[in-house]
Amino acid sequence: MREKRVCPNCGHVTEEYRNPKVAVDVIVNIGGKILLVRRRNPPYGWALPGGYIDYGESAEDAAARELREEAGVGLDGLAQFHVYSDPARDPRAHVITIVFTATSADTPAAGDDASEIGLFDERTLPSPLAFDHARILDDYLRSLK
């Protein structure tokens, strides 16, 4: 789909393709529990740490950056888990997410876009989760069995 844009200074009209945004989410295991962040900004709720990939940044670097910014932890053993691309997965826009798994030995602390940090096991996961993160975690937990 193409979208027309008009320069506010000169009035020149350009056409751009309207493409999905690309993000990362990270399933982090700390001491056998899954790290979740309570979002400070809409859409609110508990979610996996993650965010948009910056222009010129690799998905792996974005995962590490978002984890540092939101939870103050580093990561070990980063591995790609799955890609989720349902156009309705994020109410703000069509966002494709690359989901990674990792472990961390650090103590998390809320930062950046997180108002709170939590460590949860399969039985204590909060509900509902933001975006499609319940589906992502269900897929992840099933993959462990």
Side-chain angles (χ1 to χ4, degrees), residues 64-138:
R65 175 183 51 77
E66 287 290 345
L67 199 50
R68 276 190 317 275
E69 289 176 359
E70 292 185 5
V73 298
L75 50 81
D76 295 310
L78 185 69
Q80 187 175 330
F81 173 64
H82 194 70
V83 173
Y84 293 83
S85 61
D86 182 342
R89 64 170 301 278
D90 186 325
R92 301 168 298 176
H94 182 181
V95 179
I96 296 170
T97 189
I98 304 165
V99 179
F100 290 92
T101 61
T103 60
S104 182
D106 298 337
T107 301
D112 195 56
D113 295 334
S115 64
E116 187 179 347
I117 294 289
L119 294 172
F120 302 91
D121 62 30
E122 183 176 359
R123 296 177 317 274
T124 62
L125 287 170
S127 181
L129 294 173
F131 310 110
D132 59 349
H133 292 185
R135 176 184 173 204
I136 292 170
L137 286 173
D138 185 54

Side-chain angles (χ1 to χ4, degrees), residues 37 48 68 141:
V37 298
L48 294 166
R68 276 190 317 275
L141 292 168

Side-chain angles (χ1 to χ4, degrees), residues 5-14:
R5 296 184 186 249
V6 179
C7 174
N9 297 320
C10 70
H12 178 75
V13 177
T14 61

